[in-house]
Amino acid sequence: MPNETLTIIDNRTEQTYSIPISRGTIRAMDLRQIKTGPEDFGLMTYDPAFMNTASCQSAITYLDGDKGILRYRGYPIEQLAEHCTFLEVAYLLLHGELPTTEELENWSCEVMHHAMTHENVKKFMDGFHHDAHPMGVLISTVAALSTFYPDARNIGDPKCRRKQIIRLIGKMPTLAAYAYRHRLGLPYVYPDPDLGYTQNYMNMLWRRTEPKYAANPVLARALEVLFILHADHEQNCSTSAMRAVGSSQADPFATAAAAIAALSGPLHGGANEEVLRMLDEIGSKDRIPAFVEQVKYGKRKLMGFGHRVYKNYDPRARIIKRVAEEVFEVTGRNPKIDIALDLERIALSDEYFIKRKLYPNVDFYSGIIYQAMGFTPDQFTVLFGIPRTVGWLAQWQEMLEDPEQKIARPRQIYTGQDKRDFVPITLRGQRELAGV
Ligand code: ACO
């Protein structure tokens, strides 16, 4: 049995410390004992952007970025995408186990039962300008749900918590579809609980005058797979926002609104929208080399490439590439896929990308499918947010049940002025008079 400790010698004091190592990690608080004297605060770690710091212990998603492995609750993402429905995966993420037939039936009924929103939510959404970005609409409307469900603040009661979780998962497609139709000036379509989760979403998006909407099964399945792939991704930016805001015991709607805000950024979920804009700008295959040169000279970023954790092919991008071909069988080929495939090929054989281990991430191909299905680029990040809500809520629940978690409150290294005395306004700018 190896000695699972780290020996530290503080050269300032010549003191030696033995720090326990557990799961390849030391506890930052164990460093606090390392001091130069009684007045010393103790040693801290400095880790901007959390490059090498675990903020929690989690049993939800396993990710090995070097090997390109992603598992939910132990199940490989490839198997879940092949065999499951989205709500089955949602159940798995939240409960830890795959549901039985009966459990899945009850779970689906419960979620679909909560797809309807209060009529005033519709009125609230009507207040947005016609060209409001759907992510802005979603952030605000999800936050507004906390005013419709004041019981949600009772986060310590597991029964009440469960209700809010089901409410939000049920309502996300409805809010997203309303945001979509509001933009087009179309009347809102109420949810149809007889349909599955994605079919109902498609119904609320695209139903016109037909009495019952029937989604194309290939497209509905493609959306289901995309939802599964986006459902969780451990401690990414938006999930960390969910955990940080939730740690203050804010209600889950206000908390999820913060996570959606984090997702909207172009370096995170907003990248899928940016990829489409980039492909539009490139326009044709012959312009790819010039674009790649710009990226290499630091003038541009290759959107949809690179990842903080994956230093190998993102397994989700591999699945999405396959789904794209299935979708194109129905919709016709989106010509952007050929530009994207060529861009990937050129980038992956270039020293700049090889050296930095930059591979396509989940956002590189997803937008091309969404566009072929009829979504406009501003909807792409919304399509990410609907399924990721499940991951956020699973992580939020885990955080609340973790006795080690407290309000998130990082330390800082202060680099500002030392103590100085107040200068009356009449003396400011006269440095000598002010004694500076
Ligand atoms: N295009 C060009 N160069 C890149 C890219 C890119 N997309 N991504 C990283 N690099 C370069 C950096 O310039 C840096 O080069 P340097 O060492 O010469 O300075 C090196 O690769 C390391 O990159 P970092 O920025 O340090 O990596 P970090 O982990 O901080 O960033 C991120 C990860 C934000 C995803 C980054 O790769 C990026 O901006 N990608 C494009 C946006 C994107 O696709 N985001 C979606 C991510 S997936 C998701 O959130 C769902």
Side-chain angles (χ1 to χ4, degrees):
M1 181 71 182
N3 182 1
E4 293 283 309
T5 58
L6 174 74
T7 301
I8 298 177
I9 301 169
D10 185 346
N11 293 323
R12 299 171 302 176
T13 58
E14 291 178 355
Q15 282 250 27
T16 301
Y17 301 85
S18 180
I19 308 282
I21 300 174
S22 172
R23 296 173 183 258
T25 310
I26 60 162
R27 284 185 178 257
M29 278 304 285
D30 283 344
L31 301 178
R32 188 71 75 74
Q33 60 183 304
I34 303 176
K35 296 180 180 205
T36 49
E39 294 293 303
D40 186 0
F41 180 76
L43 209 62
M44 288 197 304
T45 55
Y46 175 55
D47 189 8
F50 297 103
M51 297 290 285
N52 195 37
T53 296
S55 61
C56 63
Q57 303 200 36
S58 180
I60 300 172
T61 290
Y62 174 78
L63 205 170
D64 183 328
D66 291 324
K67 298 200 180 102
I69 295 173
L70 174 62
R71 297 182 197 134
Y72 295 161
R73 301 285 189 183
Y75 294 103
I77 191 70
E78 294 81 4
Q79 292 181 23
L80 296 172
E82 176 85 25
H83 301 292
C84 290
T85 62
F86 171 67
L87 283 185
E88 206 174 346
V89 171
Y91 185 100
L92 171 70
L93 285 167
L94 284 152
H95 298 85
E97 295 297 335
L98 283 165
T100 62
T101 308
E102 196 189 342
E103 283 166 343
L104 181 58
E105 227 163 79
N106 291 338
W107 169 246
S108 305
C109 266
E110 279 185 288
V111 171
M112 294 311 291
H113 174 76
H114 282 281
M116 196 74 90
T117 63
H118 191 289
E119 281 297 287
N120 285 354
V121 172
K122 275 180 20 192
K123 289 188 199 149
F124 177 84
M125 294 181 84
D126 278 342
F128 287 102
H129 202 252
H130 70 91
D131 60 356
H133 194 286
M135 282 304 277
V137 174
L138 209 60
I139 294 164
S140 325
T141 315
V142 169
L145 289 183
S146 79
T147 66
F148 288 85
Y149 306 109
D151 58 321
R153 73 180 58 147
N154 193 5
I155 54 126
D157 174 1
K159 243 176 95 181
C160 179
R161 223 158 47 207
R162 186 172 190 278
K163 188 166 187 183
Q164 314 314 325
I165 287 173
I166 295 172
R167 263 184 183 149
L168 191 55
I169 297 171
K171 289 184 203 319
M172 280 299 280
T174 314
L175 301 182
Y178 284 3
Y180 176 78
R181 291 182 77 104
H182 174 69
R183 188 136 206 207
L184 298 177
L186 291 169
Y188 303 133
V189 172
Y190 286 109
D192 181 346
D194 291 346
L195 301 175
Y197 195 77
T198 48
Q199 288 94 329
N200 171 52
Y201 177 44
M202 293 164 89
N203 158 62
M204 293 187 292
L205 288 168
W206 292 317
R207 185 168 152 208
R208 293 290 170 115
T209 51
E210 64 272 41
K212 186 99 181 161
Y213 181 82
N216 178 298
V218 175
L219 300 188
R221 181 62 203 162
L223 201 53
E224 197 95 354
V225 172
L226 285 158
F227 277 11
I228 291 170
L229 300 181
H230 286 89
D232 193 50
H233 210 233
E234 53 119 300
Q235 308 313 316
N236 53 82
C237 179
S238 55
T239 302
S240 300
M242 184 83 190
R243 280 182 174 261
V245 176
S247 76
S248 77
Q249 304 193 346
D251 78 61
F253 301 111
T255 305
I260 302 170
L263 187 74
S264 70
L267 296 189
H268 190 14
N272 54 12
E273 189 177 336
E274 296 302 322
V275 170
L276 249 281
R277 294 194 204 291
M278 176 185 77
L279 294 176
D280 268 339
E281 190 191 321
I282 295 173
S284 58
K285 286 192 199 176
D286 57 306
R287 295 177 57 175
I288 294 174
F291 181 83
V292 170
E293 283 308 302
Q294 283 191 16
V295 171
K296 285 160 60 176
Y297 284 108
K299 291 193 181 135
R300 305 292 300 267
K301 261 197 169 170
L302 180 47
M303 299 309 285
F305 255 68
H307 199 277
R308 170 62 56 78
V309 186
Y310 288 121
K311 301 301 169 200
N312 198 329
Y313 214 97
D314 183 335
R316 302 168 299 174
R318 211 185 294 280
I319 301 170
I320 290 179
K321 254 165 100 171
R322 179 178 49 74
V323 173
E325 296 301 336
E326 291 165 14
V327 167
F328 298 156
E329 290 283 314
V330 178
T331 61
R333 198 168 176 81
N334 183 342
K336 293 205 183 76
I337 186 87
D338 296 316
I339 300 177
L341 286 167
D342 235 37
L343 186 51
E344 178 191 320
R345 185 183 56 74
I346 291 170
L348 292 187
S349 56
D350 192 294
E351 188 54 27
Y352 176 93
F353 298 89
I354 296 169
K355 202 173 121 203
R356 292 170 178 77
K357 297 186 177 169
L358 300 172
Y359 291 87
N361 58 51
V362 70
D363 291 320
F364 193 63
Y365 288 104
S366 60
I368 299 171
I369 306 182
Y370 293 143
Q371 192 177 49
M373 289 172 85
F375 291 100
T376 47
D378 57 3
Q379 298 289 330
F380 296 172
T381 313
V382 172
L383 284 150
F384 192 152
I386 296 171
R388 183 55 60 84
T389 299
V390 169
W392 292 330
L393 291 166
Q395 301 270 352
W396 171 73
Q397 180 176 255
E398 185 177 66
M399 182 268 302
L400 290 175
E401 288 171 354
D402 181 348
E404 275 199 323
Q405 289 294 338
K406 289 167 175 263
I407 187 164
R409 206 315 186 173
R411 294 276 173 184
Q412 67 165 11
I413 301 169
Y414 179 68
T415 59
Q417 299 273 2
D418 206 349
K419 180 184 175 286
R420 50 183 177 165
D421 288 325
F422 174 79
V423 181
I425 196 160
T426 49
L427 296 182
R428 287 176 216 161
Q430 302 173 43
R431 297 172 70 86
E432 297 78 32
L433 280 174
V436 181

